Amino acid sequence: MATLDINRVRKAYGKMEVLKEINISIEDGEFLVLLGPSGCGKSTLLNIIAGLEEITDGEVLIGNRVVNDMAPKDRDIAMVFQSYALYPTMTVRENIEFGMKIRGIPAAERAKATQQAAEMLQMEGLLDRKPSQLSGGQRQRVAMGRAIVRHPDLFLFDEPLSNLDAKLRVDMRTEIKRLHQRLGSTIVYVTHDQIEAMTLATKVAVMKGGVVQHFGPPQEVYDRPANVYVARFVGSPAMNIIPGRLLASDGAPSVAFDTPSGEAVLHGISLSAEAARHYAGREVLIGIRPEHCARDPQGAVPVGVDVVEPTGPDTLIVFSAGGTEVVARLDPHATEVGQQDRFAVKTEKVVLFDPETEVRID
C-alpha cells in the first residue's frame, strides 16, 4: 500500500496533447476513480502510472518514490484488465500462482496465498477449472485473485466491469468494494460509469479532453460540481441546467427563471455575499438535481407536465423551464401528462454557474 502523487503530468504524441498538467494526490488506502468518456485521457493516465506509457513532462510518485524511469515490474503494482488476460491452457489455480512462480516463491507459500485469495473472492470451488469453463464474473474474480496474491503497493483497474452484463456489474462492484475494505489497499480505477465512481471511490477525478475538471470526494462532485460539464456528466438523470437571473436583493440571494406557466422565483440560494453583489441582476445558469424537486401546491415553480416516465420506485416528470427541458424525480403516480402543477425546490441544494465560463459560482 502506498500514497500516489501525480504532479504536473503531461502526455503528448507529437503536437497532440493527450494529458494537460494533471495534478492528483491520494493517501495510503484511498480508492481513486478516474471518470470520463472515451478519449478523455483516463486510460492513458493509468498506463503512465503503470509504466506502460512514457511521460512527456511531470512526475509520478508511488509511496514517495519517483517512478518516471522505473520499469513496470519494479513499481510494485498489480493491474486488472478489462479483458481478464488469463492463460487459457492453465487452471484457475495455475493462473493465480503463475506470477509468484516466476518470482521464485516456494510452492507452499504459493498454495497458501492462492487459497486465501480464493476464499476472499468466494471461488474455492473454481481452482481446478480452466478459464473457458467460467462465466465473465468468475474470470474477473480470477484476474483480481492474481493481483491480490502479489500484495502490491498499488492496484490498478482498467474498466474491469465493462464486459459484464448489468447484474454482474452490480455484483462485481460489491466484490471490489468488499475487497478494498478488507485489504485497505490503494486503488486507481478507470471507468466511464458514474455509478461505479459514486459507489466505489473515496476520491473522483472527472476528466475531459485531458484535463481534470473536478477532483474530490464523490459526494462533493455530485452536490457541488466544479462546472456545467461535471454537473451534467455525474448523475442520472443529469443535473438540470436552467438559464435564469440572480435578483438584486438586500437579503438572501434569489434567482428567477421563466416557465410557460409563469415566472418561478427561488429564495434563499446559498451564495457568498461577494458573488451575490457581483452577479446581482445578471444572467446565471441554475443547477437543480431532479430529486431536489417535489410536488407542492404552494411551490414556487409553476409547470405544465409534458412527459411522465414511471420507473417503479419513483416517477420522472419532464417539463419546460428557461427555454430548456427539465426533469424532476417524484414519488410514483405523482402527476399526469398535461396537468398544470406546482413544484417546490430545495433551494439550499441549488448550484449556480457563470453562463460564459460555465464554472460554479460560490
Side-chain angles (χ1 to χ4, degrees):
M1 296 182 288
T3 58
L4 173 67
D5 294 286
I6 301 167
N7 300 328
R8 306 179 312 281
V9 164
R10 292 178 54 254
K11 176 63 180 178
Y13 299 99
K15 294 183 179 180
M16 184 174 70
E17 199 169 22
V18 178
L19 296 176
K20 308 169 185 177
E21 289 280 328
I22 304 295
N23 291 283
I24 294 172
S25 292
I26 58 171
E27 296 298 322
D28 187 7
E30 287 204 273
F31 196 126
L32 168 66
V33 173
L34 303 177
L35 175 66
S38 297
C40 72
K42 58 188 187 296
S43 290
T44 301
L45 181 55
L46 190 78
N47 289 336
I48 283 175
I49 297 169
L52 303 176
E53 291 268 8
E54 289 187 4
I55 194 171
T56 301
D57 196 14
E59 286 185 335
V60 175
L61 293 87
I62 299 175
N64 298 318
R65 297 180 302 157
V66 177
V67 298
N68 289 27
D69 300 319
M70 196 176 288
K73 66 182 179 64
D74 299 324
R75 296 191 181 200
D76 200 8
I77 60 171
M79 200 160 183
V80 179
F81 297 94
Q82 176 182 346
S83 59
Y84 319 131
L86 303 178
Y87 296 104
T89 59
M90 295 183 183
T91 64
V92 168
R93 189 189 311 277
E94 290 167 338
N95 265 283
I96 293 175
E97 288 188 0
F98 185 70
M100 294 186 287
K101 189 174 182 180
I102 287 178
R103 296 196 303 276
I105 294 174
E109 192 175 336
R110 296 200 307 264
K112 182 180 178 181
T114 299
Q115 186 62 36
Q116 288 175 340
E119 290 172 1
M120 187 180 298
L121 295 168
Q122 300 176 21
M123 58 179 189
E124 302 100 305
L126 306 178
L127 290 175
D128 296 317
R129 296 188 189 181
K130 298 284 182 68
S132 60
Q133 299 172 298
L134 305 178
S135 68
Q138 290 169 335
R139 292 180 194 181
Q140 196 56 275
R141 279 191 175 90
V142 177
M144 289 165 58
R146 186 175 54 191
I148 288 169
V149 296
R150 293 196 57 188
H151 300 291
D153 278 346
L154 192 63
F155 283 93
L156 305 179
F157 286 79
D158 189 8
E159 303 212 44
L161 309 186
S162 294
N163 291 338
L164 306 181
D165 62 36
K167 184 181 184 306
L168 268 178
R169 279 202 301 272
V170 173
D171 293 343
M172 287 305 300
R173 217 165 56 212
T174 303
E175 289 296 329
I176 293 171
K177 185 84 170 182
R178 186 178 289 121
L179 174 67
H180 181 244
Q181 290 169 346
R182 287 180 180 175
L183 298 179
S185 46
T186 307
I187 295 176
V188 181
Y189 186 105
V190 164
T191 185
H192 61 272
D193 187 325
Q194 40 118 356
I195 300 299
E196 288 178 27
M198 293 297 296
T199 54
L200 293 173
T202 60
K203 294 283 177 59
V204 178
V206 183
M207 298 183 66
K208 176 191 176 188
V211 176
V212 174
Q213 303 290 319
H214 193 151
F215 172 62
Q219 201 61 50
E220 174 194 287
V221 172
Y222 187 82
D223 290 337
R224 304 282 295 169
N227 54 43
V228 169
Y229 173 79
V230 177
R232 286 178 167 153
F233 192 82
V234 178
S236 182
M239 177 179 277
N240 299 297
I241 306 296
I242 307 170
R245 55 204 171 277
L246 187 68
L247 302 180
S249 172
D250 294 332
S254 301
V255 292
F257 56 88
D258 297 323
T259 81
S261 303
E263 184 181 58
V265 179
L266 305 179
H267 301 286
I269 303 299
S270 178
L271 200 63
S272 69
E274 182 182 355
R277 285 193 300 271
H278 180 73
Y279 284 91
R282 295 175 55 184
E283 293 184 355
V284 293
L285 297 176
I286 305 165
I288 303 173
R289 290 285 181 196
E291 65 271 21
H292 295 154
C293 300
R295 190 182 180 205
D296 183 349
Q298 306 302 316
V301 185
V303 303
V305 178
D306 297 327
V307 178
V308 176
E309 298 180 353
T311 68
D314 47 34
T315 296
L316 302 180
I317 305 299
V318 181
F319 61 95
S320 294
T324 189
E325 205 170 70
V326 177
V327 178
R329 189 191 296 275
L330 308 178
D331 293 334
H333 318 298
T335 190
E336 298 178 357
V337 173
Q339 184 171 327
Q340 295 296 310
D341 216 330
R342 297 192 76 87
F343 289 173
V345 173
K346 293 182 179 179
T347 52
E348 72 275 11
K349 298 288 189 178
V350 169
V351 184
L352 302 184
F353 303 94
D354 185 288
E356 294 182 5
T357 65
E358 298 192 343
V359 171
R360 187 184 72 233
I361 301 169
D362 290 321

